[in-house]
Amino acid sequence: MTAPADARRPRTARRLGLPELRGQGLFVTGNLIDSVGNGMLLPLVLLYCTEVLNLPLARVGVAMTAGQALALPVTFLAGRLMDRLGPGRVVVWANILSAAGFALFLCARQPWHIAGRPPARTGRASTCTSPRSAP
């Protein structure tokens, strides 16, 4: 007779409320890769804008902050879309929007171009929301 899955988990994991991850390796690996990639994005965007586009660092910082603030409400919209369309479809379209937005970086010449890049920010916010609601 085997013990229930909850009894086999370390006490610290149970106490901290961490979810059971056995059998979820692909999902965890995908989120890890996504998190590392997004963690590297911000400094690289700053370098691109300041070194390649020769924009002032302060303006780039303000533009990126404004763009992130504009993208905040997208999470709520993504949640409603997931309820209606399902997480899979939302993730696919969010990734397409995100890719289009990042491609628009090639056209950026002013700080407001960085803040006004809604496709990348919209896609990123939707992609962050979608996997967490997947069954």
Side-chain angles (χ1 to χ4, degrees):
M1 184 175 208
T2 61
D6 193 44
R8 285 183 273 155
R9 291 179 59 211
R11 285 179 27 188
T12 305
R14 278 187 303 215
R15 203 170 342 145
L16 293 174
L18 297 176
E20 176 65 42
L21 297 177
R22 186 168 291 138
Q24 302 297 323
L26 187 60
F27 178 72
V28 172
T29 303
N31 274 326
L32 178 66
I33 292 169
D34 187 52
S35 296
V36 169
N38 287 312
M40 293 184 336
L41 178 69
L42 180 64
L44 292 177
V45 167
L46 286 173
L47 284 174
Y48 174 75
C49 292
T50 57
E51 298 299 320
V52 175
L53 300 179
N54 295 319
L55 297 174
L57 181 61
R59 288 188 180 174
V60 172
V62 168
M64 290 182 75
T65 301
Q68 292 290 39
L70 291 171
L72 282 174
V74 172
T75 306
F76 300 109
L77 175 63
R80 296 193 109 188
L81 285 174
M82 280 183 275
D83 290 341
R84 291 185 181 165
L85 305 174
R89 288 170 122 182
V90 174
V91 168
V92 169
W93 283 105
N95 282 322
I96 291 170
L97 274 173
S98 188
F102 289 124
L104 289 175
F105 261 133
L106 299 173
C107 302
R109 297 291 176 257
Q110 300 293 325
W112 68 269
H113 294 156
I114 299 161
R117 245 181 352 94
R121 299 200 190 283
T122 301
R124 182 67 209 123
S126 300
T127 303
C128 283
T129 305
S130 298
R132 285 161 184 78
S133 68

